[in-house]
Amino acid sequence: MAKSIEVTVAGASARVTLWDDLAPKTVAALLESLPLELPLQHCKWSGSACFADVSGGAMAALGALESPVVSIYPGVLAVRPPTPGAPGAELLIAYGDAEYRWPDGRRQVTPVGELEPGARALLDALAATAVKGRTTIRLRAAEGR
């Protein structure tokens, strides 16, 4: 049975199926860090995506990237492990096509899962951050995961 988590933004919730076969260490750190409640905002340089900083716990202790990518597609959840100059991890979720970038160019992230079908309300809540600004994201273990 696939592992999954529940994600909630602005009252909209959806389940994310985790890809522990592609990123076992990152998925394990994410699950160990749950529940999480974090400020979430639109990614200034990455396109149609939002990010949240994770400054403590197992996520902040992650090492190298796993199955690194630059492009993040709608509904994909990804993690950037801590790097010099950015000591915490960064959690990203795309609501459209996105490419992870910093002011100096493209960077890589670890893809960790994807929203299950029927998550339109959550994608809309994520997209609203581009206009409405910062909100809160909540992640918790899904029932029956």
Side-chain angles (χ1 to χ4, degrees):
M1 180 178 198
K3 295 176 183 171
S4 61
I5 60 173
E6 181 98 6
V7 176
T8 303
V9 174
S13 295
R15 190 176 282 229
V16 173
T17 299
L18 298 174
W19 296 331
D20 57 341
D21 55 331
L22 290 176
K25 292 176 184 172
T26 308
V27 167
L30 175 60
L31 291 171
E32 185 180 327
S33 299
L34 298 178
L36 289 169
E37 184 169 325
L38 306 163
L40 179 79
Q41 65 188 52
H42 175 72
C43 291
K44 184 175 183 177
W45 297 286
S46 298
S48 301
C50 298
F51 77 95
D53 290 320
V54 184
S55 59
M59 295 281 289
L62 280 169
L65 290 160
E66 297 178 278
S67 303
V69 299
V70 172
S71 296
I72 313 164
Y73 299 100
V76 169
L77 183 69
V79 172
R80 183 214 24 96
T83 59
E90 193 170 84
L91 184 72
L92 300 117
I93 187 164
Y95 57 85
D97 291 339
E99 183 174 87
Y100 185 58
R101 292 178 173 267
W102 278 22
D104 59 353
R106 287 177 281 182
R107 300 283 175 99
Q108 295 179 320
V109 292
T110 298
V112 295
E114 184 174 23
L115 291 170
E116 292 182 357
R120 174 55 32 203
L122 182 65
L123 292 171
D124 291 345
L126 293 167
T129 64
V131 175
K132 294 181 179 179
R134 186 178 284 197
T135 188
T136 299
I137 187 169
R138 292 174 182 86
L139 299 94
R140 65 180 179 85
E143 292 184 26
R145 76 170 170 99

